[in-house]
Amino acid sequence: MLKNLKGKFKFNIGLKSIILIGVSVALVLVDLLTKIFEERDGWNFTVIPKFIIVDSGSRNPGCAFSFLADSSWGQSFLIAMTFIMLAVLIALFIFLPERFTLLKVAIALVAAGAIGNLIDRIAYREVRDFVEIKMFGNMTSCNFADFWIVFGTIIAVIDILFINEWSLLPLTKSAREAQEKRKNEKEAAKAEKQEKPDENPDGKDNG
């Protein structure tokens, strides 16, 4: 049984994965450096009027939309959940075949964002936000780590729904061909099993 599991789960770290690991590290650094610079320089300017504003000094002790911000146990819970999520993401990244490029890109982005905010939670017991974006009629504070998480999630959803070989609604030629090939293989295996005669139809032990 262990031998079978070993055959199914194997490390898939090739050149693409190594590059994505480097990209993920770079994105964590971008997030941390922008937080440092906005604190030091007190950034305060408008990117798009009434839509995107950079306003230094916003702090969030919770997560998205200040969820758990008022809970005494909120930070400990969020830190623990982030470690669990990162463990799952790293395992997926390692065992996912190299051909699932977009999913690996998505995982690298989400992991970079999670690590960036995790460092804040551990060091400051809150997350340093400085970008105000108007969402659902209200201004929501966020940072570059949040952007990485959102971008990664969007890429993953698009890939799972439409692009990769296991997609639910395959729109690419390669995805359709892969699913058609699996379908044909299953039908061939089923037909072969039906055609194979029962070696012991009476269920008796000939030994």
Side-chain angles (χ1 to χ4, degrees):
M1 183 177 179
L2 289 174
K3 188 176 181 180
N4 292 334
L5 287 174
K6 186 178 179 181
K8 291 180 180 179
F9 296 98
K10 60 180 181 179
F11 282 14
N12 289 291
I13 301 295
L15 180 59
K16 288 180 184 178
S17 294
I18 293 171
I19 291 172
L20 287 174
I21 291 170
V23 169
S24 188
V25 171
L27 292 177
V28 173
L29 291 176
V30 168
D31 173 62
L32 295 177
L33 287 173
T34 53
K35 290 171 179 175
I36 290 171
F37 292 149
E38 67 90 4
E39 278 189 314
R40 187 191 69 183
D41 300 331
W43 290 350
N44 192 346
F45 56 88
T46 299
V47 180
I48 300 177
K50 298 182 180 180
F51 183 56
I52 301 177
I53 299 170
V54 173
D55 186 15
S56 181
S58 178
R59 299 295 178 262
N60 182 10
C63 55
F65 303 105
S66 298
F67 179 64
L68 296 178
D70 298 327
S71 301
S72 59
W73 49 270
Q75 278 303 317
S76 299
F77 175 78
L78 291 171
I79 290 171
M81 291 304 297
T82 302
F83 273 115
I84 293 171
M85 183 184 74
L86 283 171
V88 172
L89 290 175
I90 291 169
L92 283 173
F93 189 87
I94 290 172
F95 295 118
L96 198 65
E98 288 284 270
R99 65 181 181 274
F100 290 89
T101 305
L102 277 181
L103 272 183
K104 288 212 167 192
V105 168
I107 292 170
L109 284 167
V110 174
I115 291 170
N117 282 337
L118 177 63
I119 291 171
D120 269 20
R121 295 189 194 284
I122 293 173
Y124 305 105
R125 306 297 292 180
E126 60 186 3
V127 173
R128 293 171 289 178
D129 292 332
F130 58 92
V131 181
E132 300 274 341
I133 299 178
K134 190 170 185 178
M135 294 179 64
F136 311 114
N138 297 312
M139 298 302 287
T140 301
S141 296
C142 58
N143 53 46
F144 278 87
D146 297 325
F147 294 155
W148 311 152
I149 293 172
V150 171
F151 295 156
T153 301
I154 292 172
I155 291 171
V157 170
I158 292 172
D159 190 52
I160 291 169
L161 286 178
F162 307 115
I163 297 176
N164 77 49
E165 63 190 62
W166 294 97
S167 55
L168 301 177
L169 300 168
L171 297 182
T172 63
K173 181 180 178 181
S174 59
R176 290 194 295 268
E177 288 177 348
Q179 293 192 12
E180 186 65 26
K181 181 180 178 181
R182 277 201 307 274
K183 181 181 177 182
N184 293 337
E185 288 174 350
K186 285 182 180 179
E187 290 177 351
K190 185 178 179 181
E192 183 181 355
K193 185 177 180 181
Q194 290 175 344
E195 292 174 2
K196 188 176 181 180
D198 192 342
E199 295 178 357
N200 190 11
D202 298 327
K204 296 180 180 180
D205 187 356
N206 297 324

